Amino acid sequence: MIVEHLAGALVAATATLVELVESAGDAARPALNTLEEIAHLLGRMNSDERQELRDVLARLAAAEPARADFIRSLPSALGWDGAP
């Protein structure tokens, strides 16, 4: 399903950007700006769409144990705490 592939790409891109921010300090401003834009754009999803993405992320986390914690943390990192 295309949604799983897109979510996988989102996870890969987000993980790379987070790594850049954590390792490059001030030089990583473009990566941080991109992460903020991703959060903003995904924040436009309605509650059903967010739930669908959460479900896909749960499946990805189960399939990728090495990155499971990171994958499970994405909704919170996107500012969806307490949001359906």
Side-chain angles (χ1 to χ4, degrees):
M1 181 177 270
I2 192 167
V3 173
E4 279 80 6
H5 295 295
L6 291 171
L10 172 68
V11 168
T14 303
T16 300
L17 292 167
V18 167
E19 252 182 63
L20 284 170
V21 169
E22 291 175 349
S23 65
D26 291 337
R29 189 69 200 160
L32 184 58
N33 289 345
T34 302
L35 286 168
E36 290 170 350
E37 184 175 2
I38 289 169
H40 172 74
L41 292 170
L42 294 177
R44 294 179 180 175
M45 291 190 298
N46 65 39
S47 61
D48 290 340
E49 293 166 333
R50 287 180 185 197
Q51 187 57 52
E52 182 180 355
L53 181 55
R54 280 187 176 102
D55 294 344
V56 172
L57 291 174
R59 289 192 299 271
L60 287 176
E64 296 187 45
R67 294 199 297 184
D69 288 340
F70 177 80
I71 294 169
R72 285 189 200 101
S73 74
L74 280 177
S76 177
L78 292 168
W80 296 356
D81 289 336

